[in-house]
Amino acid sequence: MAYPLAPPNNGAAVLPTDDDGGQLRPPTKLLGCLRTVGRPTSKTNPLLVAAFYSAADISRVDVKLVDVASGATVARLDRQGNGHFGATGGLLCLVGTGGTAAVSVLDPATGDVTSIPAYADGNKTSSAYVFGHVPATGEHKVLRVYTAGHGETKQSCEILTLGGGGGGKQRWRTAPSPPVRVGTAPSRHWAVTRGGVAHFLIPQRAEYDVIASFDMATEEWRPALLQCPLSSDKRNCCSDSLSLVELNGCLVFVHHDYLSFSLDMWVLTDLDRGTWLRVESLPLGKVLRGGETMAKPLMVLDDGRIAFWVRGPNSVVRVYNPRTGGCEEVVNFGKLCSVVGLYRGSLLGVK
């Protein structure tokens, strides 16, 4: 039986059924599930976007677009400003800090750069900027989550639609506050699926057992919280061992089990029903080296290998082969580097 590839509008999908109505399990683990519940993949893997900071001049940032399969640098965007970087769909974004606070949007396909104020109300409190793409409309959006003032616990939100042609769309608009306080730091506690839904782990009293989801298409928080596939009483470690990542358009829950020394992953197969499928468990020792504690899945390559970003003394990318159990280091970024995201688009406008 052929597996369908088209997902529903909410960014998750229901697993196919057999002739008797029973749910089929994908024939291969993570890759099979992603091909079943995710979107069709392109013939080429997306490019990894990495930001490199200068020790001599922290305001100078060089951006590289890297082919993870080979480790080769495909394009460079040197001397960018400092701030919050993001990649969404076919755009690269930078939210500057300090007196140059603005959203700079670069379209590598055309080389065009636009600049928009980084917030609407003048509130300069610490903010998290979440970049997303809505395939149904083709829009790119930025969600800003922040606290109204020092000592405040309630979070506020603004949203910005990019590429509005300079008209009224390119203005920050007030968005609903999250139903509960969501986790925005570290950034591995939130992820945006390719359907345009941003998912956030919920800290504090919820013990990271539930997830709040913001739909960038409707610009509303989903009314129901999503239960995590692994509750706090079944974990061997603290919240630092948890990550939310987007793989092939799907939401993946990642747990570093340091007691069993394994890395476990679940894929969200149905957002409305809150259904997860455990798809992968691999030995941490295959990916991590001495002194390293966290491996973030970046993408599943077309041949089924899994690329991880590992942050330790240096930032490195390693590619794990589930079929052979081997793990190859494809690129070492050095110390002053952060991974921005994945770029899916043309490079015609990059000089």
Side-chain angles (χ1 to χ4, degrees):
M1 174 181 173
Y3 292 119
L5 293 175
N9 294 332
N10 61 13
V14 182
L15 286 172
T17 58
D18 57 23
D19 294 337
D20 297 325
Q23 195 176 71
L24 288 176
R25 188 175 182 82
T28 58
K29 292 184 180 179
L30 184 55
L31 179 62
C33 185
L34 294 179
R35 284 178 174 172
T36 302
V37 305
R39 284 179 168 270
T41 56
S42 63
K43 294 182 179 180
T44 58
N45 297 304
L47 298 176
L48 178 66
V49 185
F52 297 82
Y53 301 86
S54 170
D57 182 5
I58 195 64
S59 65
R60 171 184 170 177
V61 182
D62 297 337
V63 177
K64 294 182 180 180
L65 280 71
V66 179
D67 178 3
V68 169
S70 65
T73 298
V74 176
R76 295 184 57 149
L77 305 168
D78 293 341
R79 296 186 178 276
Q80 304 298 308
N82 196 3
H84 307 268
F85 283 93
T88 173
L91 298 179
L92 303 180
C93 306
L94 165 66
V95 182
T97 57
T100 59
V103 180
S104 297
V105 184
L106 170 63
D107 186 346
T110 62
D112 294 338
V113 180
T114 58
S115 185
I116 308 161
Y119 33 72
D121 62 2
N123 192 311
K124 298 183 180 180
T125 57
S126 178
S127 306
Y129 293 88
V130 180
F131 304 89
H133 176 234
V134 184
T137 61
E139 294 175 316
H140 299 79
K141 296 185 178 183
V142 183
L143 174 68
R144 178 192 177 214
V145 183
Y146 65 101
T147 52
H150 180 71
E152 293 285 337
T153 57
K154 182 180 178 180
Q155 292 171 316
S156 299
C157 294
E158 293 176 343
I159 195 164
L160 173 70
T161 300
L162 303 176
K169 276 192 172 183
Q170 286 189 307
R171 298 175 182 172
W172 288 99
R173 306 180 302 279
T174 301
S177 296
V180 291
R181 187 177 180 86
V182 300
T184 56
S187 60
R188 65 176 178 271
H189 283 172
W190 54 264
V192 183
T193 59
R194 202 180 299 177
V197 181
H199 304 273
F200 300 83
L201 283 170
I202 298 178
Q204 299 174 336
R205 290 175 296 178
E207 298 294 340
Y208 298 90
D209 281 344
V210 289
I211 296 169
S213 303
F214 181 85
D215 190 327
M216 289 194 169
T218 62
E219 301 185 2
E220 296 283 348
W221 292 89
R222 290 180 61 87
L225 298 177
L226 175 66
Q227 291 292 322
C228 292
L230 187 67
S231 60
S232 56
D233 60 343
K234 295 181 181 179
R235 301 178 203 140
N236 292 325
C237 304
C238 62
S239 61
D240 288 340
S241 66
L242 306 177
S243 300
L244 294 180
V245 300
E246 177 262 326
L247 293 179
N248 197 37
C250 302
L251 181 66
V252 176
F253 181 91
V254 183
H255 175 237
H256 289 64
D257 189 339
Y258 298 117
L259 184 62
S260 300
F261 212 59
S262 65
L263 189 149
D264 304 319
M265 289 182 271
W266 289 258
V267 171
L268 180 66
T269 58
D270 190 308
L271 177 57
D272 293 325
R273 298 180 181 179
T275 306
W276 299 85
L277 177 67
R278 184 171 179 173
V279 290
E280 199 76 58
S281 181
L282 58 92
L284 274 175
K286 293 289 186 178
V287 181
L288 299 179
R289 306 291 185 261
E292 298 171 346
T293 59
M294 183 65 63
K296 179 182 178 180
L298 295 172
M299 66 181 82
V300 180
L301 304 180
D302 291 338
D303 59 7
R305 294 180 298 156
I306 309 170
F308 291 90
W309 175 48
V310 181
R311 183 69 182 268
N314 291 322
S315 293
V316 301
V317 174
R318 298 192 181 109
V319 177
Y320 174 76
N321 190 332
R323 295 181 176 87
T324 65
C327 190
E328 175 189 9
E329 185 168 307
V330 294
V331 60
N332 188 326
F333 288 138
K335 294 182 179 180
L336 299 177
C337 171
S338 66
V339 168
V340 174
L342 302 178
Y343 174 72
R344 303 173 175 91
S346 169
L347 296 174
L348 292 177
V350 177
K351 297 181 181 180

